[in-house]
Amino acid sequence: RDVADLDAHVSVCRACPRLVAWRESVATTGRRASFADQPYWGRPGPGFGDARPQVLVVGLAPAANGTNRTGRLFTGDRSGDWIYAALHRAGYASQPESWAAGDGLTLTGIRIVSAVRCAPPANRPTPDERRTCGQWLDREITFVAPGLRSMLALGSIGWDAALAAARRLGWTVPRPKPRFGHGVETELRTPEGRPVRLLGSYHVSQQNTFTGKLTEEMLDAVIARL
Ligand code: SF4
């Protein structure tokens, strides 16, 4: 019926045996020592943010000790520190930090989802897992499409997931397939002919932010174009 209903269904999904086993093993016997006394969510990460957004952010997948612990996307890990600080600077987020599901953070005009909704080992979902979880992205996009102006893909997996979902939903996607890159932009069209822009950004993972491959200025510049 709506994204709240979708969230409820996503959060009990068990379609990918390898990911179900991983998310639950991390949540029980595999907790990081510093979080050993905390309850873990251990389930898929549902979408978070505005139910009628103008912008949809498509990330990669939950972190094993981040979303898989807190139950909210980009919450309780370093990637979240980056994306929510940037969204706060741009006026989309009510606060710059996101440490727990009940911390009061709200998003206005923007919604965050991930291409794969269960934490994958080594942050690497298989092609089959990406395809299987695409069904949830299709439904999410269907619900938010009427007000959607643009999408922001964080990393190449988010980029490919957004393009694949658009194709499955009958949107017009440029050919040849637009290549992912930081700051790259392409225009998609809904079946009604309405344009929706897709922008790419390097993912906010520590691999990129610690090495300087992605700076705050680079991320802010892409978000300003949304
Ligand atoms: Fe379900 Fe997606 Fe998790 Fe697979 S990755 S079990 S499709 S929520």
Side-chain angles (χ1 to χ4, degrees), residues 161-189:
L163 289 174
R167 263 193 223 101
R168 286 191 297 267
L169 293 170
W171 292 24
T172 305
V173 177
R175 288 187 186 277
K177 178 184 150 189
R179 286 170 64 95
F180 171 75
H182 185 82
V184 167
E185 177 176 341
T186 191
E187 187 178 277
L188 313 174
R189 283 195 178 263

mmCIF file of all heavy atoms in Angstrom, residues 161-189:
data_model
loop_
_atom_site.group_PDB
_atom_site.id
_atom_site.type_symbol
_atom_site.label_atom_id
_atom_site.label_comp_id
_atom_site.label_asym_id
_atom_site.label_seq_id
_atom_site.Cartn_x
_atom_site.Cartn_y
_atom_site.Cartn_z
ATOM 1 N N ALA A 161 21.976 -0.772 -9.631
ATOM 2 C CA ALA A 161 20.671 -1.170 -9.098
ATOM 3 C C ALA A 161 19.591 -0.182 -9.523
ATOM 4 O O ALA A 161 18.482 -0.579 -9.902
ATOM 5 C CB ALA A 161 20.735 -1.257 -7.572
ATOM 6 N N ALA A 162 19.899 1.102 -9.490
ATOM 7 C CA ALA A 162 18.913 2.117 -9.881
ATOM 8 C C ALA A 162 18.563 1.989 -11.361
ATOM 9 O O ALA A 162 17.397 2.054 -11.757
ATOM 10 C CB ALA A 162 19.452 3.516 -9.576
ATOM 11 N N LEU A 163 19.578 1.770 -12.207
ATOM 12 C CA LEU A 163 19.323 1.624 -13.648
ATOM 13 C C LEU A 163 18.527 0.355 -13.941
ATOM 14 O O LEU A 163 17.603 0.356 -14.758
ATOM 15 C CB LEU A 163 20.650 1.601 -14.414
ATOM 16 C CG LEU A 163 21.414 2.924 -14.482
ATOM 17 C CD1 LEU A 163 22.770 2.706 -15.150
ATOM 18 C CD2 LEU A 163 20.614 3.974 -15.247
ATOM 19 N N ALA A 164 18.891 -0.740 -13.256
ATOM 20 C CA ALA A 164 18.190 -2.013 -13.491
ATOM 21 C C ALA A 164 16.731 -1.896 -13.061
ATOM 22 O O ALA A 164 15.826 -2.376 -13.752
ATOM 23 C CB ALA A 164 18.893 -3.144 -12.739
ATOM 24 N N ALA A 165 16.490 -1.248 -11.921
ATOM 25 C CA ALA A 165 15.111 -1.081 -11.448
ATOM 26 C C ALA A 165 14.323 -0.219 -12.435
ATOM 27 O O ALA A 165 13.175 -0.533 -12.768
ATOM 28 C CB ALA A 165 15.110 -0.444 -10.060
ATOM 29 N N ALA A 166 14.941 0.849 -12.902
ATOM 30 C CA ALA A 166 14.254 1.734 -13.857
ATOM 31 C C ALA A 166 13.857 0.954 -15.109
ATOM 32 O O ALA A 166 12.739 1.076 -15.610
ATOM 33 C CB ALA A 166 15.164 2.911 -14.213
ATOM 34 N N ARG A 167 14.772 0.093 -15.591
ATOM 35 C CA ARG A 167 14.458 -0.710 -16.785
ATOM 36 C C ARG A 167 13.312 -1.673 -16.513
ATOM 37 O O ARG A 167 12.379 -1.797 -17.307
ATOM 38 C CB ARG A 167 15.696 -1.497 -17.223
ATOM 39 C CG ARG A 167 16.444 -0.790 -18.316
ATOM 40 C CD ARG A 167 17.474 -1.686 -18.984
ATOM 41 N NE ARG A 167 18.671 -0.898 -19.152
ATOM 42 C CZ ARG A 167 19.730 -0.947 -18.385
ATOM 43 N NH1 ARG A 167 19.774 -1.815 -17.383
ATOM 44 N NH2 ARG A 167 20.748 -0.165 -18.595
ATOM 45 N N ARG A 168 13.362 -2.351 -15.379
ATOM 46 C CA ARG A 168 12.299 -3.321 -15.065
ATOM 47 C C ARG A 168 10.941 -2.634 -14.949
ATOM 48 O O ARG A 168 9.908 -3.224 -15.227
ATOM 49 C CB ARG A 168 12.615 -4.052 -13.747
ATOM 50 C CG ARG A 168 13.728 -5.090 -13.846
ATOM 51 C CD ARG A 168 13.785 -5.950 -12.594
ATOM 52 N NE ARG A 168 14.099 -5.188 -11.409
ATOM 53 C CZ ARG A 168 15.321 -5.006 -10.910
ATOM 54 N NH1 ARG A 168 16.355 -5.577 -11.487
ATOM 55 N NH2 ARG A 168 15.506 -4.266 -9.821
ATOM 56 N N LEU A 169 10.959 -1.368 -14.506
ATOM 57 C CA LEU A 169 9.705 -0.642 -14.313
ATOM 58 C C LEU A 169 9.222 0.041 -15.601
ATOM 59 O O LEU A 169 8.232 0.773 -15.585
ATOM 60 C CB LEU A 169 9.879 0.401 -13.202
ATOM 61 C CG LEU A 169 10.095 -0.195 -11.798
ATOM 62 C CD1 LEU A 169 10.507 0.882 -10.803
ATOM 63 C CD2 LEU A 169 8.834 -0.903 -11.313
ATOM 64 N N GLY A 170 9.953 -0.180 -16.680
ATOM 65 C CA GLY A 170 9.513 0.365 -17.963
ATOM 66 C C GLY A 170 9.903 1.814 -18.177
ATOM 67 O O GLY A 170 9.337 2.491 -19.050
ATOM 68 N N TRP A 171 10.884 2.310 -17.390
ATOM 69 C CA TRP A 171 11.359 3.676 -17.588
ATOM 70 C C TRP A 171 12.287 3.691 -18.804
ATOM 71 O O TRP A 171 12.866 2.668 -19.175
ATOM 72 C CB TRP A 171 12.141 4.170 -16.366
ATOM 73 C CG TRP A 171 11.328 4.379 -15.133
ATOM 74 C CD1 TRP A 171 10.138 3.786 -14.813
ATOM 75 C CD2 TRP A 171 11.661 5.224 -14.029
ATOM 76 N NE1 TRP A 171 9.714 4.212 -13.577
ATOM 77 C CE2 TRP A 171 10.631 5.100 -13.072
ATOM 78 C CE3 TRP A 171 12.734 6.066 -13.754
ATOM 79 C CZ2 TRP A 171 10.641 5.797 -11.870
ATOM 80 C CZ3 TRP A 171 12.757 6.760 -12.550
ATOM 81 C CH2 TRP A 171 11.707 6.631 -11.624
ATOM 82 N N THR A 172 12.444 4.853 -19.382
ATOM 83 C CA THR A 172 13.407 5.013 -20.466
ATOM 84 C C THR A 172 14.785 5.276 -19.876
ATOM 85 O O THR A 172 14.967 6.210 -19.081
ATOM 86 C CB THR A 172 12.993 6.191 -21.380
ATOM 87 O OG1 THR A 172 11.649 5.947 -21.820
ATOM 88 C CG2 THR A 172 13.914 6.306 -22.572
ATOM 89 N N VAL A 173 15.726 4.419 -20.260
ATOM 90 C CA VAL A 173 17.106 4.516 -19.767
ATOM 91 C C VAL A 173 18.012 4.697 -20.976
ATOM 92 O O VAL A 173 17.867 3.964 -21.953
ATOM 93 C CB VAL A 173 17.495 3.225 -19.000
ATOM 94 C CG1 VAL A 173 18.948 3.271 -18.554
ATOM 95 C CG2 VAL A 173 16.562 3.009 -17.809
ATOM 96 N N PRO A 174 18.922 5.663 -20.950
ATOM 97 C CA PRO A 174 19.791 5.895 -22.119
ATOM 98 C C PRO A 174 20.582 4.648 -22.502
ATOM 99 O O PRO A 174 20.951 3.850 -21.643
ATOM 100 C CB PRO A 174 20.742 7.005 -21.645
ATOM 101 C CG PRO A 174 20.033 7.665 -20.513
ATOM 102 C CD PRO A 174 19.194 6.610 -19.862
ATOM 103 N N ARG A 175 20.816 4.474 -23.776
ATOM 104 C CA ARG A 175 21.680 3.405 -24.278
ATOM 105 C C ARG A 175 22.804 4.031 -25.074
ATOM 106 O O ARG A 175 22.544 4.992 -25.809
ATOM 107 C CB ARG A 175 20.884 2.458 -25.178
ATOM 108 C CG ARG A 175 19.940 1.601 -24.380
ATOM 109 C CD ARG A 175 19.282 0.551 -25.268
ATOM 110 N NE ARG A 175 18.271 -0.175 -24.520
ATOM 111 C CZ ARG A 175 18.508 -1.214 -23.717
ATOM 112 N NH1 ARG A 175 19.734 -1.643 -23.577
ATOM 113 N NH2 ARG A 175 17.540 -1.818 -23.073
ATOM 114 N N PRO A 176 24.034 3.531 -24.982
ATOM 115 C CA PRO A 176 24.440 2.453 -24.091
ATOM 116 C C PRO A 176 24.296 2.853 -22.631
ATOM 117 O O PRO A 176 24.152 4.041 -22.323
ATOM 118 C CB PRO A 176 25.906 2.217 -24.455
ATOM 119 C CG PRO A 176 26.368 3.529 -25.013
ATOM 120 C CD PRO A 176 25.173 4.121 -25.700
ATOM 121 N N LYS A 177 24.368 1.858 -21.756
ATOM 122 C CA LYS A 177 24.177 2.096 -20.331
ATOM 123 C C LYS A 177 25.163 3.150 -19.821
ATOM 124 O O LYS A 177 26.380 3.032 -20.057
ATOM 125 C CB LYS A 177 24.420 0.769 -19.594
ATOM 126 C CG LYS A 177 24.305 0.868 -18.097
ATOM 127 C CD LYS A 177 24.674 -0.477 -17.496
ATOM 128 C CE LYS A 177 25.277 -0.278 -16.119
ATOM 129 N NZ LYS A 177 25.854 -1.497 -15.575
ATOM 130 N N PRO A 178 24.658 4.194 -19.160
ATOM 131 C CA PRO A 178 25.567 5.230 -18.630
ATOM 132 C C PRO A 178 26.533 4.631 -17.603
ATOM 133 O O PRO A 178 26.123 3.849 -16.755
ATOM 134 C CB PRO A 178 24.603 6.216 -17.953
ATOM 135 C CG PRO A 178 23.243 5.880 -18.461
ATOM 136 C CD PRO A 178 23.252 4.447 -18.839
ATOM 137 N N ARG A 179 27.788 5.011 -17.718
ATOM 138 C CA ARG A 179 28.813 4.459 -16.818
ATOM 139 C C ARG A 179 28.845 5.238 -15.515
ATOM 140 O O ARG A 179 28.725 6.458 -15.505
ATOM 141 C CB ARG A 179 30.190 4.545 -17.483
ATOM 142 C CG ARG A 179 30.372 3.525 -18.596
ATOM 143 C CD ARG A 179 31.640 3.827 -19.347
ATOM 144 N NE ARG A 179 32.819 3.667 -18.483
ATOM 145 C CZ ARG A 179 33.540 2.555 -18.430
ATOM 146 N NH1 ARG A 179 33.235 1.529 -19.180
ATOM 147 N NH2 ARG A 179 34.590 2.471 -17.635
ATOM 148 N N PHE A 180 29.066 4.510 -14.425
ATOM 149 C CA PHE A 180 29.151 5.151 -13.108
ATOM 150 C C PHE A 180 30.440 5.962 -12.976
ATOM 151 O O PHE A 180 31.493 5.572 -13.486
ATOM 152 C CB PHE A 180 29.121 4.090 -11.997
ATOM 153 C CG PHE A 180 29.426 4.663 -10.640
ATOM 154 C CD1 PHE A 180 28.474 5.416 -9.969
ATOM 155 C CD2 PHE A 180 30.683 4.503 -10.054
ATOM 156 C CE1 PHE A 180 28.757 5.987 -8.736
ATOM 157 C CE2 PHE A 180 30.973 5.066 -8.818
ATOM 158 C CZ PHE A 180 30.006 5.805 -8.156
ATOM 159 N N GLY A 181 30.336 7.072 -12.264
ATOM 160 C CA GLY A 181 31.512 7.840 -11.898
ATOM 161 C C GLY A 181 31.081 8.893 -10.886
ATOM 162 O O GLY A 181 29.876 9.177 -10.758
ATOM 163 N N HIS A 182 32.017 9.474 -10.165
ATOM 164 C CA HIS A 182 31.642 10.523 -9.216
ATOM 165 C C HIS A 182 31.223 11.775 -9.984
ATOM 166 O O HIS A 182 31.971 12.272 -10.838
ATOM 167 C CB HIS A 182 32.784 10.853 -8.270
ATOM 168 C CG HIS A 182 32.366 11.848 -7.230
ATOM 169 N ND1 HIS A 182 31.684 11.469 -6.093
ATOM 170 C CD2 HIS A 182 32.459 13.198 -7.193
ATOM 171 C CE1 HIS A 182 31.380 12.551 -5.394
ATOM 172 N NE2 HIS A 182 31.849 13.622 -6.026
ATOM 173 N N GLY A 183 30.014 12.260 -9.693
ATOM 174 C CA GLY A 183 29.520 13.469 -10.350
ATOM 175 C C GLY A 183 28.843 13.214 -11.681
ATOM 176 O O GLY A 183 28.329 14.144 -12.305
ATOM 177 N N VAL A 184 28.819 11.951 -12.127
ATOM 178 C CA VAL A 184 28.155 11.633 -13.399
ATOM 179 C C VAL A 184 26.651 11.798 -13.230
ATOM 180 O O VAL A 184 26.097 11.554 -12.159
ATOM 181 C CB VAL A 184 28.500 10.177 -13.820
ATOM 182 C CG1 VAL A 184 27.583 9.704 -14.946
ATOM 183 C CG2 VAL A 184 29.946 10.087 -14.253
ATOM 184 N N GLU A 185 25.995 12.245 -14.289
ATOM 185 C CA GLU A 185 24.539 12.442 -14.238
ATOM 186 C C GLU A 185 23.923 11.934 -15.528
ATOM 187 O O GLU A 185 24.493 12.095 -16.605
ATOM 188 C CB GLU A 185 24.231 13.941 -14.065
ATOM 189 C CG GLU A 185 22.752 14.242 -14.085
ATOM 190 C CD GLU A 185 22.461 15.726 -13.803
ATOM 191 O OE1 GLU A 185 23.329 16.426 -13.257
ATOM 192 O OE2 GLU A 185 21.353 16.159 -14.155
ATOM 193 N N THR A 186 22.770 11.301 -15.401
ATOM 194 C CA THR A 186 22.019 10.896 -16.592
ATOM 195 C C THR A 186 20.545 11.150 -16.335
ATOM 196 O O THR A 186 20.138 11.322 -15.185
ATOM 197 C CB THR A 186 22.286 9.410 -16.932
ATOM 198 O OG1 THR A 186 21.757 9.131 -18.230
ATOM 199 C CG2 THR A 186 21.633 8.469 -15.933
ATOM 200 N N GLU A 187 19.778 11.188 -17.401
ATOM 201 C CA GLU A 187 18.346 11.455 -17.236
ATOM 202 C C GLU A 187 17.533 10.213 -17.594
ATOM 203 O O GLU A 187 17.694 9.640 -18.667
ATOM 204 C CB GLU A 187 17.910 12.626 -18.119
ATOM 205 C CG GLU A 187 16.465 13.027 -17.845
ATOM 206 C CD GLU A 187 16.034 14.224 -18.677
ATOM 207 O OE1 GLU A 187 16.324 15.353 -18.262
ATOM 208 O OE2 GLU A 187 15.422 14.012 -19.733
ATOM 209 N N LEU A 188 16.674 9.800 -16.685
ATOM 210 C CA LEU A 188 15.749 8.698 -16.907
ATOM 211 C C LEU A 188 14.370 9.319 -17.135
ATOM 212 O O LEU A 188 14.131 10.456 -16.749
ATOM 213 C CB LEU A 188 15.722 7.779 -15.683
ATOM 214 C CG LEU A 188 17.084 7.376 -15.098
ATOM 215 C CD1 LEU A 188 16.894 6.579 -13.809
ATOM 216 C CD2 LEU A 188 17.883 6.567 -16.107
ATOM 217 N N ARG A 189 13.478 8.511 -17.741
ATOM 218 C CA ARG A 189 12.098 8.996 -17.909
ATOM 219 C C ARG A 189 11.124 7.937 -17.447
ATOM 220 O O ARG A 189 11.249 6.762 -17.801
ATOM 221 C CB ARG A 189 11.824 9.355 -19.378
ATOM 222 C CG ARG A 189 12.443 10.693 -19.729
ATOM 223 C CD ARG A 189 11.934 11.282 -21.021
ATOM 224 N NE ARG A 189 12.578 12.570 -21.207
ATOM 225 C CZ ARG A 189 12.039 13.751 -20.876
ATOM 226 N NH1 ARG A 189 10.831 13.800 -20.369
ATOM 227 N NH2 ARG A 189 12.713 14.872 -21.055
#
